[in-house]
Amino acid sequence: MLTGLLALVGVGLAVGLVLGGGALAVTRVLGVDGGSATTATTDVASLYLPKPQKTDAPSGPLLTLSADPKKGSAPSEKPKKPKKTKKAEGEISLSAGQTQVAPMGQIDLTGVYPGGEGRVLQVEKFVGGNWQDFPVTAVVSNETFTTFVQTSSQGVNRFRVVDNDSGTSSNDVRVTVG
């Protein structure tokens, strides 16, 4: 009888240890720990907020009324032709996030392409006196683009982006590798 009782207690301990170990493994995999939730989220979360910039006040009417006489309103004066403003359309501006990296280090490329919404830009690298396609592209969204490149070519490396549809190319950026 004593042997049966000891066997029952032993089996109970073994089952408890297995279930406890499994629960511990699951909580580690899911990232559940005894710390508070706010501490855990602030350790890994980051948020980039751009610096506020002043915007221009609206120059035209904020509400447009119907000019249809059948609807009871008639224009009081001839409509003015919209003024044409000069934009820097077609100019691609490129900058690199790093000036020096280790071989195969990440080089962040960002830029602005006014009027280039939705365009796919090809990254090019200057090799042997010629620009050659680098196997990376970037898509323009909200007139901006961002991508990254990696290279093991040590020394000064030059990169640029090109809109192959229009033939427009950006300025080149220089990054030292090594």
Side-chain angles (χ1 to χ4, degrees):
M1 177 140 162
L2 184 61
T3 343
L5 185 60
L6 287 175
L8 187 61
V9 169
V11 169
L13 281 173
V15 170
L17 286 174
V18 168
L19 290 178
L24 180 63
V26 168
T27 58
R28 297 241 177 169
V29 168
L30 295 177
V32 178
D33 63 358
S36 69
T38 56
T39 303
T41 57
T42 57
D43 288 344
V44 295
S46 66
L47 178 66
Y48 169 76
L49 292 175
K51 291 183 181 180
Q53 297 178 352
K54 288 190 174 190
T55 57
D56 296 332
S59 60
L62 298 178
L63 177 66
T64 305
L65 300 175
S66 173
D68 187 358
K70 294 178 185 176
K71 293 186 179 179
S73 67
S76 58
E77 59 183 58
K78 292 182 180 179
K80 295 180 181 178
K81 292 183 181 178
K83 294 180 182 178
K84 292 183 180 179
T85 58
K86 283 190 175 181
K87 282 188 176 179
E89 286 188 17
E91 293 181 13
I92 305 173
S93 174
L94 177 67
S95 63
Q98 297 78 18
T99 56
Q100 185 169 358
V101 297
M104 294 308 291
Q106 182 170 317
I107 303 167
D108 298 310
L109 300 176
T110 58
V112 179
Y113 187 10
E117 189 67 26
R119 297 289 180 108
V120 177
L121 304 177
Q122 174 67 52
V123 176
E124 292 184 340
K125 182 179 176 187
F126 195 75
V127 179
N130 295 315
W131 288 103
Q132 297 179 357
D133 285 352
F134 201 77
V136 175
T137 59
V139 178
V140 179
S141 176
N142 293 324
E143 297 188 345
T144 63
F145 60 91
T146 182
T147 190
F148 72 93
V149 294
Q150 294 174 299
T151 183
S152 60
S153 300
Q154 295 197 14
V156 176
N157 287 267
R158 294 170 57 190
F159 295 96
R160 73 177 185 179
V161 293
V162 175
D163 178 358
N164 287 329
D165 291 337
S166 69
T168 305
S169 62
S170 71
N171 57 298
D172 66 323
V173 294
R174 296 167 189 245
V175 178
T176 304
V177 177

